[in-house]
């Protein structure tokens, strides 16, 4: 288990900036205005070779009434109780303020190691503020610049020294949790629902709209399943989002949907399936995530049965691509119907992760095409061949068919709806990819054809016949001596009469033997001339 470190201080001193630097990602929203962070956020980070569990907190305000700032202070105090080591940050440019002294007095009662950080120390104006920090009573301040990454080595040395006496228990790594994102419009009751599920006031709630700004994740265990709940900021219509901070919150919510596995869409029962709700559900389907509908504030409904039937019919009519998604009506304030949410979420996750055997798919494909054959486009019929599932989460299928590019969208929707009903896949997004299976992969230009080699013209060029007149013309162009030799070799010399064609030849010898009329042997060359010599001359 990593060392838990809480980053605390008054508003707008750079706590979220240091949090993002140690985590290595821009998780927390950062802006020049004070009070951007409201909830406490947990994330895994490191500095040097030390693993840390970092806690980003809201700016400390010295108020105890029922205001939003007082509730933010309660979140900061909860982080102080949960942390093993505290990083107390102050602004070196502005120096020590009255609120810094009040918060320092509060930290002295924690009985936990406190490291004083003087942030924004990259300029010369910060020298006086660093000197004033000694008056807070936490020893020598560590001068850092969270924005530029200066002083991280000194911070590492201070954390090592401050955590020397802290015992860190080693725990086994938990299984990968199921990521569940809670989305909806502002003031729909998303944070209240998470607090009701986990049984504690973990999220900051209230009657004000738009309290949640960051996407806050909470790890939780439900009946042996590791769950990671992600609370997101409310999303209004795009035309109404004008401020920079709200744009950052919306982008953070969209990122939470992208990384989620199951998305719970929380809607107000009175105006459920408004235009914004439909757009959010369509975004979830395009991202390929499992979806669960939640109608909140159900304890205020006077006719629950008829209203629930009406809402379910609206879901079927307005979102046919998500037909069969679970629908849960509950009240986060009173807890009515909350126990039905997690079974619906787990069922949606199981359906989203389903895998279908190829044999069953092709049996179904044969029956589906017999019941409703593909239409003929331009007088030619489309012939489905076979089908297979390539991946799950969401279920993705590939259909091989002839003339795949001509298959109408209406027939694809028929196959998807039939597939959903036949294999019991309600609500989950289904991807169907139609490919043409008529291409030969070994043909030139195919996937397995390889580089084309040049074979030359020898085998394919027609044989050229040289005519006699052309041959004579070529001979006339030769030089004089070559022409004479060519003409001389044109007529072949005939062998002498009586020369046997089957005369014996000795290896390396060019002489044939011819018997004379008197029985004497004469040497005859291959050209037919008789060789004469003094050695064989007759005696007188």
């Amino acid at each position: 288990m990593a060392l838990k470190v809480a980053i605390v201080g008054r508003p707008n001193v750079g706590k979220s900036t240091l949090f993002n630097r140690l985590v290595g990602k821009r998780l927390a929203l950062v802006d020049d205005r004070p009070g951007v962070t409201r909830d406490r956020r947990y994330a895994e980070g490191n500095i040097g070779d030390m693993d840390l569990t970092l806690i980003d907190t809201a700016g400390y305000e010295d108020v105890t009434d029922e205001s939003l700032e007082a509730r933010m202070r309660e979140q900061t105090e909860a982080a102080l109780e949960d942390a093993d080591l505290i990083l107390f940050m102050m602004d070196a440019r502005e120096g020590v303020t009255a609120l810094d002294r009040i918060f320092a007095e509060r930290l002295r009662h924690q009985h936990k190691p406190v490291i004083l950080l003087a942030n924004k120390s990259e300029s010369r104006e910060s020298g006086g503020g660093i000197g004033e920090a000694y008056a807070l009573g936490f020893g020598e301040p560590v001068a850092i610049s969270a924005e530029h990454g200066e002083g991280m080595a000194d911070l590492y040395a201070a954390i090592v020294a401050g955590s020397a006496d802290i015992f860190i228990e080693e725990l086994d790594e938990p299984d990968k949790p199921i990521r569940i994102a809670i989305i909806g419009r502002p003031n729909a009751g998303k944070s209240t629902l998470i607090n009701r599920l986990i049984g504690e006031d973990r999220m900051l709630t209230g009657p004000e709209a738009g309290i949640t700004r960051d996407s806050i994740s909470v790890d939780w265990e439900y009946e042996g399943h590791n769950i990671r709940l992600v609370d997101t900021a409310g999303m209004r219509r795009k035309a109404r989002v004008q401020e920079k901070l709200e744009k950052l919150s919306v982008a953070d919510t969209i990122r939470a949907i992208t990384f989620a596995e199951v998305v719970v869409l929380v809607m107000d029962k009175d105006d459920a399936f408004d235009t914004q709700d439909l757009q959010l559900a369509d975004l979830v389907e395009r991202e390929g995530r499992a979806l669960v509908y939640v109608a909140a504030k159900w304890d205020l409904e006077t006719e629950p049965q008829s209203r629930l039937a009406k809402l379910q019919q609206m879901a079927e009519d307005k979102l046919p691509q998500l037909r069969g998604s679970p629908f849960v009506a509950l009240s986060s304030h009173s807890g009515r119907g909350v126990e039905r949410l997690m079974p619906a979420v787990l069922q949606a996750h199981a359906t989203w992760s389903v895998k279908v055997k190829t044999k069953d798919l092709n049996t179904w494909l044969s029956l589906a095409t017999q019941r409703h054959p593909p239409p003929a486009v331009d007088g030619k019929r489309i012939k489905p061949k076979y089908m297979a599932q390539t991946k799950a989460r969401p279920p993705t299928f590939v259909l091989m068919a002839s003339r795949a590019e001509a298959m109408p969208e209406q027939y694809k929707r028929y196959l998807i709806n039939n597939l959903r009903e036949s294999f019991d896949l309600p609500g989950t997004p289904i991807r169907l990819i139609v490919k043409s299976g008529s291409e030969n992969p070994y043909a030139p230009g195919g996937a397995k054809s390889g580089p084309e080699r040049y074979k030359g013209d020898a085998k394919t060029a027609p044989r050229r016949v040289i005519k006699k007149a052309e041959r004579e013309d070529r001979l006339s162009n030769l030089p004089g001596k070559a022409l004479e030799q060519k003409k001389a070799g044109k007529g072949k010399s005939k062998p002498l009469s009586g020369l046997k064609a089957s005369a014996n030849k000795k290896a390396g010898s060019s002489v044939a033997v011819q018997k004379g009329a008197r029985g004497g042997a004469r040497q005859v060359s291959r050209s037919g001339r008789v060789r004469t010599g003094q050695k064989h001359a007759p005696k007188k």
Side-chain angles (χ1 to χ4, degrees):
M1 185 176 180
L3 178 70
K4 282 188 178 181
V5 178
I7 307 174
V8 299
R10 61 181 178 84
N12 205 27
V13 295
K15 299 182 296 297
S16 297
T17 305
L18 178 62
F19 176 84
N20 289 340
R21 178 165 292 279
L22 296 180
V23 171
K25 303 176 183 177
R26 294 184 61 88
L27 291 183
L29 299 183
V30 177
D31 196 72
D32 294 335
R33 71 179 70 181
V36 173
T37 304
R38 290 176 173 174
D39 290 279
R40 67 184 191 268
R41 175 196 283 271
Y42 290 74
E44 301 298 326
N46 61 79
I47 180 170
D49 57 351
M50 291 190 64
D51 293 331
L52 306 174
T53 299
L54 298 162
I55 310 175
D56 187 22
T57 62
Y60 187 84
E61 298 282 358
D62 189 24
V63 288
T64 56
D65 52 9
E66 298 297 326
S67 63
L68 179 61
E69 288 76 11
R71 282 172 274 158
M72 292 165 57
R73 172 182 172 173
E74 294 176 358
Q75 292 287 322
T76 301
E77 291 178 347
L80 294 177
E81 296 293 334
D82 193 20
D84 300 323
L85 185 142
I86 300 170
L87 298 181
F88 176 30
M89 183 177 290
M90 51 87 62
D91 192 338
R93 296 177 184 173
E94 298 182 7
V96 178
T97 63
L99 191 56
D100 289 330
R101 294 188 179 92
I102 295 174
F103 195 26
E105 185 65 28
R106 170 71 178 81
L107 291 178
R108 291 190 186 97
H109 298 85
Q110 281 296 320
H111 304 291
K112 293 181 181 181
V114 178
I115 299 174
L116 180 60
L117 304 181
N119 192 28
K120 306 178 184 178
S121 300
E122 68 276 2
S123 62
R124 294 182 179 179
E125 296 98 13
S126 60
I130 296 175
E132 295 177 7
Y134 284 91
L136 295 175
F138 294 106
E140 181 181 359
V142 180
I144 66 169
S145 174
E147 179 68 24
H148 301 91
E150 298 179 5
M152 293 298 108
D154 297 335
L155 177 60
Y156 169 73
I159 292 177
V160 171
S163 62
D165 298 331
I166 299 176
F167 174 73
I168 302 175
E169 184 181 0
E170 295 292 337
L171 299 177
D172 296 334
E173 290 292 332
D175 296 334
K176 189 175 181 181
I178 301 175
R179 298 185 297 273
I180 304 173
I182 313 295
I183 67 171
R185 285 178 291 164
N187 206 23
K190 302 179 292 297
S191 300
T192 308
L193 176 59
I194 292 181
N195 289 342
R196 173 64 65 176
L197 287 174
I198 63 179
E200 61 175 289
D201 291 336
R202 173 64 180 82
M203 299 297 172
L204 190 63
T205 59
E208 301 90 353
I211 291 179
T212 304
R213 287 175 173 171
D214 298 82
S215 295
I216 308 298
S217 61
V218 181
D219 290 333
W220 176 52
E221 185 174 350
Y222 173 79
E223 296 184 356
H225 299 277
N226 292 322
I227 306 295
R228 177 167 294 170
L229 299 170
V230 182
D231 187 19
T232 62
M235 295 181 63
R236 298 192 299 168
R237 295 183 184 180
K238 187 176 180 180
R240 297 182 179 179
V241 179
Q242 301 294 337
E243 296 184 1
K244 173 187 173 184
L245 188 57
E246 188 173 0
K247 291 181 180 179
L248 294 176
S249 300
V250 171
D252 205 20
T253 301
I254 295 175
R255 183 175 61 181
I257 295 174
T258 303
F259 287 98
E261 297 177 354
V262 182
V263 177
V264 177
L265 177 58
V266 181
M267 302 173 290
D268 195 322
K269 65 176 185 64
D270 295 328
D271 54 356
F273 295 106
D274 193 6
T275 303
Q276 182 66 7
D277 293 332
L278 297 177
Q279 291 178 353
L280 289 175
D282 184 66
L283 174 62
V284 173
E285 194 277 334
R286 285 187 279 112
E287 290 292 339
R289 303 295 177 252
L291 181 64
V292 177
Y293 300 115
V294 168
K297 306 176 184 179
W298 201 250
D299 54 341
L300 304 177
E301 181 60 45
T302 57
E303 299 178 355
Q305 296 296 332
S306 59
R307 179 62 177 169
L308 181 60
K310 183 179 180 181
L311 291 178
Q312 289 177 341
Q313 187 62 38
M314 291 174 62
E316 297 289 330
D317 296 340
K318 296 186 176 182
L319 295 167
Q321 67 272 28
L322 293 170
R323 184 177 290 110
S325 295
F327 198 104
V328 180
L330 53 83
S331 172
S332 303
H333 182 71
S334 64
R336 175 184 175 184
V338 177
E339 70 279 356
R340 296 194 296 268
L341 177 59
M342 286 309 300
V345 168
L346 295 179
Q347 179 60 38
H349 183 268
T351 305
W352 185 65
S353 308
V354 74
K355 294 182 179 179
V356 184
K357 295 181 180 179
T358 305
K359 179 181 178 181
D360 298 338
L361 275 176
N362 286 280
T363 303
W364 164 84
L365 179 63
S366 177
L367 296 176
T369 52
Q370 288 179 8
R371 187 180 303 112
H372 187 184
V377 180
D378 296 333
K380 298 181 180 179
R381 185 168 295 279
I382 301 172
K383 298 179 181 179
K385 296 182 179 180
Y386 65 92
M387 192 174 186
Q389 183 177 1
T390 55
K391 75 180 191 70
R393 301 184 174 189
T396 303
F397 303 92
V398 175
L399 172 62
M400 305 301 294
S402 62
R403 306 182 69 239
E405 67 283 353
M407 181 174 288
E409 291 295 328
Q410 297 88 339
Y411 195 76
K412 293 181 183 179
R413 287 196 294 269
Y414 158 73
L415 292 177
I416 291 176
N417 293 333
N418 201 326
L419 190 68
R420 192 188 304 276
E421 296 176 0
S422 301
F423 293 98
D424 194 16
L425 303 175
T428 186
I430 296 178
R431 302 288 186 259
L432 179 61
I433 302 173
V434 183
K435 293 184 178 181
S436 178
S438 60
E439 298 179 357
N440 183 4
Y442 295 96
K448 299 182 179 180
S449 61
E452 187 174 353
R453 294 180 298 174
Y454 177 73
K455 300 180 181 179
D457 300 332
K459 296 182 179 180
T460 57
R463 185 176 179 181
R464 185 180 179 186
V465 180
I466 301 176
K467 298 182 179 180
K468 184 177 180 180
E470 186 178 355
R471 188 183 298 111
E472 294 291 342
D473 184 59
R474 288 184 180 181
L475 290 177
S476 63
N477 294 331
L478 293 176
K481 188 175 180 180
L483 180 60
E484 293 178 359
Q485 292 178 355
K486 198 75 177 178
K487 290 182 178 180
K490 190 174 180 180
K492 297 182 180 179
S493 58
K494 297 181 180 180
L496 296 175
S497 59
L499 182 64
K500 295 184 178 180
S502 60
N504 293 330
K505 299 179 181 178
K506 295 183 180 180
S509 174
S510 61
V511 178
V513 178
Q514 181 183 12
K515 292 184 179 180
R518 297 180 181 180
R522 295 184 179 181
Q523 293 182 350
V524 182
S525 65
R526 291 184 177 179
S527 62
R529 298 179 181 178
V530 179
R531 293 185 177 180
T532 58
Q534 298 295 331
K535 190 179 294 185
H536 300 283
K539 296 181 179 180
K540 292 182 180 180

